[in-house]
Amino acid sequence: MTIYSIRHVTTYRYRQPVGFARHRMMLRPRDSHDLRLLGTRLIIDPEPTRIDWNHDTFANSIAVASFDERADVLRIESRLRLEHYGYSDPDLHIYPHAETWPFNYSEDERIDLAPVMAVRYPDPAGVVKNWALGFVREGDSIDTQNLLVRMAEDIRAKFPYYERVETGTQEPAETLRKGGTCRDFANLMMEGLRALGFAARFVSGYLYDPGLDNGTDAVGIQGAGATHAWVQVYLPGAGWIEFDPTNALYGGANLIRVAVVRHPGQAIPIDGRYIGAPDDFLSMDVEVSVEREGD
């Protein structure tokens, strides 16, 4: 078990005071057997007239802030303190029938998992599917766990990682051509797995980099210091297992889950708009820190 303290600050600046429509925030994780919240705080300036909490269709925790006051700066700060139980490279207890690929989900599983088994992006030339099939050989039974690990490792080893400031996520075929960010790699792996018949979900949250505690990045860790994205794969017997293709990690160690969704567009941490002229917007800055308490 590890205790983490997380601080996530988003600051919007405007040329003059503007109004604010409702802002939707996905910043609070769900308690589970592998994550327990010890304390949370949401600080917003200017202060909202009200904050409403609800759960979306995936049971993610959502806060919606309403405003009356106009301002030239909007600052949203989330503070979390939590216990985290993640494992590095675990030995997955997959049911025997699913230990090798291909396998079939049960009838109940297929009904429940259907939305996250369906490929989302058109692939008329079969670029993404052929890439995914490159990890298997026709007629062979492939160890399921090894297949997933090799796909994550291949993304980490072969595709360049770069930070991209614009919003949105690349289509998987574009990521195959030029690399991308953590959200692009998660989207690619998720779509590739769905093409092979796996159920896969997009995850947004935070990544702990041990090196940042000492002021230096850990070797090989990419995507810390900001929100991070990875993928979950459903394996009968083992359940939903975390895979981070950006860093070729699996099992959930150092990955602090906040939102789990069907596609990346449903995992925006803060979504809202201002009321003013188009050129009133000046900038948006995001600062994220994830610190481990104790040794």
Side-chain angles (χ1 to χ4, degrees), residues 177-195:
R177 291 194 302 270
K178 64 181 186 181
T181 67
C182 60
R183 62 185 185 272
D184 301 323
F185 292 149
N187 199 35
L188 169 62
M189 183 169 182
M190 181 174 69
E191 195 75 351
L193 290 174
R194 289 174 177 176

Side-chain angles (χ1 to χ4, degrees), residues 123-228:
D123 188 25
V127 174
V128 176
K129 184 172 184 178
N130 288 335
W131 168 77
L133 287 172
F135 296 97
V136 302
R137 290 178 297 186
E138 188 175 356
D140 287 352
S141 294
I142 307 297
D143 182 271
T144 299
Q145 183 170 336
N146 288 343
L147 167 60
L148 298 171
V149 170
R150 285 192 294 111
M151 182 178 286
E153 290 177 342
D154 186 84
I155 294 173
R156 173 68 178 89
K158 294 184 179 179
F159 298 100
Y161 171 87
Y162 59 87
E163 294 183 0
R164 196 177 72 250
V165 295
E166 62 266 24
T167 59
T169 305
Q170 293 176 170
E171 293 195 6
E174 184 177 3
T175 302
L176 286 174
R177 291 194 302 270
K178 64 181 186 181
T181 67
C182 60
R183 62 185 185 272
D184 301 323
F185 292 149
N187 199 35
L188 169 62
M189 183 169 182
M190 181 174 69
E191 195 75 351
L193 290 174
R194 289 174 177 176
L196 295 180
F198 288 95
R201 307 190 296 196
F202 186 89
V203 187
S204 177
Y206 304 106
L207 170 67
Y208 169 66
D209 178 352
L212 292 179
D213 287 347
N214 301 317
T216 59
D217 291 340
V219 176
I221 295 293
Q222 296 175 322
T227 54
H228 193 57

